[in-house]
Amino acid sequence: MWQDTAGFNFSSADLALDSQLHELADTGAISLISQLQTTLDLQQQLDIFAMHASRILPLTALNLRTAQGHFAAAGSMAGQHQYHTELQLEQHLLGQLSYQSNHPFSSLVQRQLLLLESEWLYALRNALLVNRLQQMALKDPLTGLGNRRFFDDSYSKAIQLAKRHQQPFALLLLDLDNFKQVNDLSGHSTGDQVLLAVADCMRETLRATDSLFRFGGDEFALLLQDQDADHAELIACRLQQKINQHPLLNLHQVGCSIGLAWLAAEQQERDLFHQADEALYQAKTTGKGKVAAERLSVKGLSQPRSGINKVSASLAAAS
Ligand SMILES: Nc1nc2c(ncn2[C@@H]2O[C@H](COP(=O)(O)OP(=O)(O)OP(=O)(O)O)[C@@H](O)[C@H]2O)c(=O)[nH]1
């Protein structure tokens, strides 16, 4: 037991806590905690943490890898030295941090960074949780593609970006042909398999998975940023071909119709969604299995499989 000058008694545990608090104050951890409490945004938390870590050692870059994505602190650039750590809380790996600096990461620096990291863990866990819930709210639960809400957000952001940077931008709306018969003839779970196969075809055609959406039912959308009309048309045809050639979709004679509209750099004000929807309507009503481009000119870029026509005809006869 120790006594300070004012006569208070301290145990060794109090002194250990006191010295830890001083160390935390030295590393800036206390103000770090209060700053981290102001946000549940992963990028913002990383930026705040990077600012505090830079007080220990000037950093050129700080990257955070998590199961929900990779983040880089604002202004990150390559440095001469690297240091990697894992952020774990209660035996759960939250993420991996990669520091870069033009100064070496001495063992003292590493120790201070470790201490600082430990102050981030709870706030990081909460931010990851919120991020995961947000992602779930934006995803179609069956296919994992973006849902309609996510599409609406992405669409307006893409339009703004296209306007700001004068970049072309295309929208594809896709509706399956003859999907209902899969449910009717083979059951709902086979129908679900068919929808999953369509999502796979979309992912294989377009790697940027955050641009792929399912609105519900058998309706899908693709946002193609910085794509001119020719390229967008090529992607639409490639996707349609993939769907036509997919074994499961072929087996159930499911094809697709696609409506395509694009915004050239000089044409900023048109209602792209309406155009693509009109084009899709044209593709549907002029025989299915087609890609229809804006201005309502239907191009028979891909012919429907003969089987599809036959099934349509027999369904029509049956109804
Ligand atoms: N298996 C499954 N079916 C669904 C789901 N959501 C909607 N559906 C069904 O999808 C079908 C969509 O109907 P339509 O678009 O008229 O079917 P279609 O045969 O493709 O019609 P066309 O577009 O005229 O060729 C309906 O039978 C819905 O019940 C789902 O999540 N899973």
Side-chain angles (χ1 to χ4, degrees):
M1 191 75 78
W2 288 267
Q3 211 170 49
D4 78 348
T5 48
F8 292 110
N9 291 325
F10 292 96
S11 67
S12 55
D14 288 335
L15 285 175
L17 182 66
D18 189 51
S19 99
Q20 207 174 8
L21 283 172
H22 275 104
E23 210 168 344
L24 286 175
D26 286 347
T27 60
I30 291 176
S31 68
L32 169 67
I33 296 169
S34 55
Q35 282 188 34
L36 287 171
Q37 280 169 352
T38 62
T39 178
L40 283 166
D41 182 276
L42 281 169
Q43 180 65 52
Q44 284 177 9
Q45 286 201 357
L46 179 66
D47 289 338
I48 291 170
F49 181 83
M51 193 176 71
H52 284 261
S54 279
R55 290 182 190 151
I56 296 171
L57 186 76
L59 298 175
T60 58
L62 183 63
N63 292 287
L64 171 67
R65 280 172 169 265
T66 73
Q68 291 159 47
H70 300 175
F71 304 84
S76 284
M77 286 184 307
Q80 290 164 21
H81 302 273
Q82 292 194 4
Y83 174 57
H84 307 282
T85 60
E86 288 194 340
L87 300 173
Q88 291 203 25
L89 182 62
E90 289 155 9
Q91 292 173 351
H92 291 292
L93 179 66
L94 301 180
Q96 290 152 329
L97 268 185
S98 299
Y99 299 87
Q100 293 192 48
S101 172
N102 290 327
H103 304 270
F105 290 87
S106 68
S107 50
L108 176 65
V109 164
Q110 290 184 18
R111 185 175 136 63
Q112 286 181 310
L113 289 176
L114 186 69
L115 207 56
L116 199 65
E117 284 169 9
S118 69
E119 299 309 313
W120 187 14
L121 297 178
Y122 285 96
L124 177 61
R125 184 195 58 183
N126 294 343
L128 284 167
L129 198 66
V130 168
N131 194 276
R132 205 166 126 238
L133 292 174
Q134 280 171 344
Q135 282 186 0
M136 278 164 63
L138 296 174
K139 273 191 181 167
D140 165 42
L142 176 66
T143 60
L145 301 179
N147 60 17
R148 179 63 199 245
R149 207 174 123 204
F150 189 30
F151 170 85
D152 288 342
D153 273 5
S154 307
Y155 177 68
S156 54
K157 278 186 194 144
I159 292 272
Q160 280 169 19
L161 265 178
K163 281 183 182 176
R164 198 176 310 142
H165 301 294
Q166 294 276 299
Q167 282 173 346
F169 160 63
L171 168 65
L172 271 68
L173 295 179
L174 182 153
D175 189 289
L176 295 183
D177 297 329
N178 313 311
F179 174 63
K180 190 173 173 301
Q181 65 179 9
V182 183
N183 280 336
D184 293 348
L185 299 178
S186 308
H188 202 268
S189 74
T190 307
D192 283 356
Q193 294 303 317
V194 162
L195 295 170
L196 284 168
V198 172
D200 286 345
C201 291
M202 289 169 72
R203 288 191 179 100
E204 284 165 25
T205 308
L206 207 71
R207 299 270 169 228
T209 50
D210 56 349
S211 303
L212 307 174
F213 307 88
R214 177 179 172 229
F215 287 175
D218 60 353
E219 293 173 16
F220 298 82
L222 293 87
L223 286 178
L224 306 176
Q225 289 185 50
D226 207 10
Q227 304 285 350
D228 60 24
D230 287 347
H231 200 221
E233 228 172 62
L234 200 71
I235 289 174
C237 293
R238 208 184 294 153
L239 174 59
Q240 195 177 47
Q241 209 172 18
K242 224 173 228 327
I243 286 175
N244 284 344
Q245 288 170 354
H246 192 287
L248 183 70
L249 303 176
N250 219 316
L251 178 70
H252 292 284
Q253 298 184 312
V254 169
C256 72
S257 299
I258 297 178
L260 161 65
W262 63 86
L263 204 61
E266 69 283 0
Q267 301 170 300
Q268 302 295 358
E269 299 302 330
R270 294 178 311 152
D271 183 348
L272 204 63
F273 192 90
H274 180 70
Q275 296 264 346
D277 204 30
E278 280 289 321
L280 177 61
Y281 178 75
Q282 288 294 315
K284 279 290 206 197
T285 52
T286 53
K288 298 186 180 176
K290 290 181 178 172
V291 174
E294 61 161 352
R295 293 186 210 289
L296 314 185
S297 61
V298 180
K299 300 185 179 185
L301 292 167
S302 174
Q303 293 304 313
R305 286 194 299 271
S306 55
I308 291 177
N309 279 339
K310 246 191 345 218
V311 174
S312 303
S314 60
L315 278 180
S319 57

